[in-house]
Amino acid sequence: MILELKNIEKSFGQNKVLCDVSFKAEGGKAFGLLGRNGAGKTTSIRILMGVFPANSGEVLIDGNPIDYNKVGIGYLPEERGLYPKKIIIDQLTYFAELKGMEHREAVKAIDYWLGRLGMTEYRNKKLDTLSKGNQQKIQLITALAHDPDIVILDEPFSGLDPVNAMLLKNVVKEQISKGKIVLFSSHQMSYIEEFCDSIAILNNGKVVLQGDLCNIKRDYPRDRLVVRCENKQSVMKDFKNSSLTEKGDVIIKLASVDEKKAVMNYLTEKYDIDSIKVLEPSLNDIFVEYAKEDK
């Protein structure tokens, strides 16, 4: 399955929010939709979900206009939207039935997910008796209980402790392995980098960068090496154009990328090297570059 937003334009009054936005996300892979606050991410997601229409452009599945009666979408919003004073099982069942599930089927699916996320004991509790992290897991169930084809996760790891974050990671990996389209929107670049094969960065309503994340990184100059070793001071004396990272690795700036192989061979022959590799930009570095105001 391939989801495509094609030439999307959207204005609210005189305010143009999206300008010719196009990107593709594939089943069995995670896609990262990135941008600063106000860049157009939420508007793009709402158009994708059919919450409101675009002024022009198309939302396509496998090249055809999306049929929301046939394509299930699960959405975990950044601003959580459950009812704090309502019993958890009642409202989860209500939301699942809104998405087309029969009552018995909904209860069965919800009980599975309550167990999967370690939340069975809260089944008949009110939402506001739970911690923020556990409320987040209940909200996640609303996105997954109806077994959607497309899973949209907006800041999914916000408020989660490391144990619950790992649990959510495993759930996300399961969804990807089932061939679903998983779309992330987050400012936590480490999670995007961990999960997403491809990304699109929005800036002022326009896509300023998109594509396979590995290929994007490889397009940057590959003229720096990161070296991990015990005798780092000796290495730095040997290479004047070098520096230390916060982690204690040595960064060597090459005069030319053509020197890469020779320098690597020299280092491994002369020193006891634990690891050596080309230094690539982090997704955070790339995001900062492309999300600047002047883009």
Side-chain angles (χ1 to χ4, degrees), residues 3-279:
L3 168 70
E4 182 178 5
L5 266 66
K6 187 174 181 180
N7 307 124
I8 297 293
E9 304 266 351
K10 182 64 180 177
S11 297
F12 295 102
Q14 298 299 313
N15 183 24
K16 193 163 192 176
V17 179
L18 298 178
C19 181
D20 197 28
V21 168
S22 298
F23 59 80
K24 291 182 180 180
E26 297 182 31
K29 296 182 179 180
F31 179 88
L33 183 62
L34 311 177
R36 299 172 64 185
N37 293 331
K41 303 186 303 297
T42 301
T43 301
S44 297
I45 289 171
R46 288 175 178 170
I47 290 172
L48 186 166
M49 295 175 61
V51 174
F52 49 65
N55 296 117
S56 61
E58 299 176 286
V59 180
L60 306 173
I61 291 289
D62 294 333
N64 299 308
I66 188 170
D67 184 343
Y68 294 103
N69 294 317
K70 295 180 179 179
V71 178
I73 298 177
Y75 178 44
L76 176 68
E78 180 179 5
E79 297 298 329
R80 314 312 179 200
L82 297 181
Y83 301 106
K85 299 297 183 182
K86 296 294 184 181
I87 300 298
I88 287 169
I89 184 61
D90 292 341
Q91 57 179 313
L92 287 178
T93 305
Y94 169 74
F95 282 114
E97 290 174 346
L98 283 180
K99 294 168 183 174
M101 298 187 79
E102 296 293 334
H103 180 80
R104 183 179 299 180
E105 177 189 28
V107 172
K108 182 179 179 181
I110 290 162
D111 281 336
Y112 164 78
W113 279 110
L114 287 171
R116 177 73 178 79
L117 298 176
M119 299 295 292
T120 300
E121 65 181 290
Y122 303 110
R123 186 181 191 273
N124 296 305
K125 303 286 187 181
K126 292 181 179 179
L127 188 72
D128 63 359
T129 64
L130 275 60
S131 67
K132 182 178 178 181
N134 282 337
Q135 289 185 31
Q136 169 83 327
K137 290 195 284 185
I138 295 299
Q139 182 85 56
L140 178 64
I141 293 174
T142 69
L144 299 177
H146 60 298
D147 194 24
D149 305 294
I150 301 169
V151 180
I152 302 171
L153 304 172
D154 195 348
E155 298 294 355
F157 295 96
S158 175
L160 295 182
D161 60 49
V163 173
N164 281 324
M166 181 59 67
L167 179 60
L168 178 54
K169 285 183 182 182
N170 291 335
V171 169
V172 170
K173 289 174 182 176
E174 288 174 4
Q175 298 299 302
I176 295 170
S177 70
K178 290 179 179 179
K180 298 184 179 184
I181 294 170
V182 177
L183 192 152
F184 277 91
S185 177
S186 179
H187 292 123
Q188 294 175 289
M189 297 298 151
S190 60
Y191 291 119
I192 299 292
E193 204 154 10
E194 179 176 352
F195 284 105
C196 295
D197 298 279
S198 55
I199 63 166
I201 298 178
L202 290 172
N203 193 343
N204 293 320
K206 300 177 181 179
V207 176
V208 292
L209 179 71
Q210 67 173 306
D212 181 271
L213 184 53
C214 290
N215 290 338
I216 288 171
K217 288 185 175 186
R218 289 191 67 85
D219 283 342
Y220 279 75
R222 302 177 66 78
D223 59 355
R224 290 180 297 169
L225 300 178
V226 54
V227 182
R228 182 164 295 178
C229 60
E230 289 296 326
N231 47 354
K232 53 181 70 72
Q233 294 302 326
S234 297
V235 172
M236 293 182 71
K237 286 181 180 178
D238 212 351
F239 292 87
K240 303 303 181 184
N241 200 4
S242 62
S243 60
L244 276 179
T245 68
E246 292 181 358
K247 293 182 179 180
D249 297 332
V250 179
I251 304 297
I252 298 174
K253 178 72 168 66
L254 303 175
S256 166
V257 293
D258 297 331
E259 294 182 347
K260 181 174 61 178
K261 186 175 181 179
V263 171
M264 283 182 165
N265 289 337
Y266 173 81
L267 285 166
T268 53
E269 289 174 3
K270 184 174 181 179
Y271 299 102
D272 182 14
I273 301 296
D274 295 324
S275 67
I276 181 171
K277 62 181 180 180
V278 173
L279 179 64

